[in-house]
Amino acid sequence: MTKQMTTTTSAATTCDPAVRVTKSLLAYGVIAGPLYVAVSLIEVFTRAGFDPTRHAWSMLSNGDRGWIHITNFLVSGLMTIAFAAGLRRVLGTGAGARWAPRLIGGYGVSLIAAGLLRADPGLGFPVGTPDGPGTISWHGYGHFAAGAIGFSCLIAACFVLARRFTAEGAAGCAWSSRVVGVVFAASFLGLTAGAGASWSLLAFTGAVLLVSGWQAAVAVNRYRRASH
């Protein structure tokens, strides 16, 4: 009898429209980071003249196929905002319930802004561009500003969610969130200080892979708790 009641309750929760909406929104968080990374890596290895030790991924927005990376920014940003909405629904109350979704949402908005405000060509990319840093346009400055704001939001979200995990007794998730936040912050500062040095570009690329995986892991974690 107890088993039957548990099964009935579980089925009712699964069929709850509100739970389905929340899980659908959280699922976008699972996809957003890996999608951006996968599309970018395909471009890195297929775009003529692109060198990951010299060129930032944002520069892929230039050239005949630049629309692909611009679309990648826009779609990933919209998915991240949807994830933030799902996060707000599933967190309810308690530590990070308000600020974690806001910060993740801010990062999503910054991705859209980074797509609309294209990074400038330079350093020989796209093919035919003079081999030098070139001049920075108004939209180039806007792109940098969007990145700085978005990355700051994402770093802060790592620590806000670490507090949430700590409150829930999930020490492993809390520590991993803090580590990701520290690594990503250090790589971003290194990118700024490195002024385009190969080591700073490669370190930041690795940090982007790490933080994208973290975002997906958080989305999976909350997805599993959405019906509880």
Side-chain angles (χ1 to χ4, degrees):
M1 183 66 176
T2 303
K3 182 178 180 180
Q4 182 179 359
M5 290 177 63
T6 302
T7 303
T8 302
T9 302
S10 177
T13 302
T14 303
C15 296
D16 186 342
V19 172
R20 290 204 304 270
V21 170
T22 299
K23 287 192 169 185
S24 295
L25 293 170
L26 292 171
Y28 285 113
V30 180
I31 301 169
L35 173 68
Y36 176 76
V37 167
V39 173
S40 297
L41 287 176
I42 291 171
E43 292 184 278
V44 165
F45 293 110
T46 59
R47 294 285 300 275
F50 189 87
D51 182 352
T53 67
R54 298 188 67 209
H55 305 130
W57 284 6
S58 295
M59 296 174 70
L60 290 164
S61 295
N62 296 288
D64 293 340
R65 289 192 284 168
W67 64 270
I68 296 175
H69 201 69
I70 292 172
T71 303
N72 194 22
F73 269 128
L74 299 180
V75 172
S76 299
L78 290 171
M79 285 185 171
T80 301
I81 292 171
F83 168 48
L87 198 60
R88 181 67 188 93
R89 292 166 67 98
V90 77
L91 289 180
T93 59
R98 291 187 177 182
W99 276 105
R102 290 174 181 175
L103 292 166
I104 295 293
Y107 173 59
V109 171
S110 79
L111 288 173
I112 294 174
L116 296 175
L117 300 169
R118 179 170 49 86
D120 293 304
L123 302 173
F125 184 83
V127 175
T129 301
D131 191 12
T135 58
I136 303 178
S137 64
W138 65 269
H139 54 80
Y141 280 114
H143 182 88
F144 291 141
I149 294 171
F151 294 148
S152 297
C153 286
L154 190 55
I155 292 165
C158 289
F159 292 100
V160 170
L161 283 168
R163 285 182 55 239
R164 176 71 180 214
F165 287 130
T166 298
E168 294 176 348
C173 292
W175 276 108
S176 62
S177 294
R178 293 188 185 97
V179 169
V180 170
V182 169
V183 170
F184 192 68
S187 69
F188 180 53
L189 292 175
L191 182 67
T192 304
S198 296
W199 66 266
S200 64
L201 283 171
L202 294 175
F204 186 70
T205 298
V208 169
L209 298 177
L210 179 65
V211 79
S212 296
W214 171 82
Q215 179 178 306
V218 170
V220 170
N221 178 280
R222 295 297 102 175
Y223 184 94
R224 290 173 174 171
R225 298 174 63 97
S227 60
H228 296 302

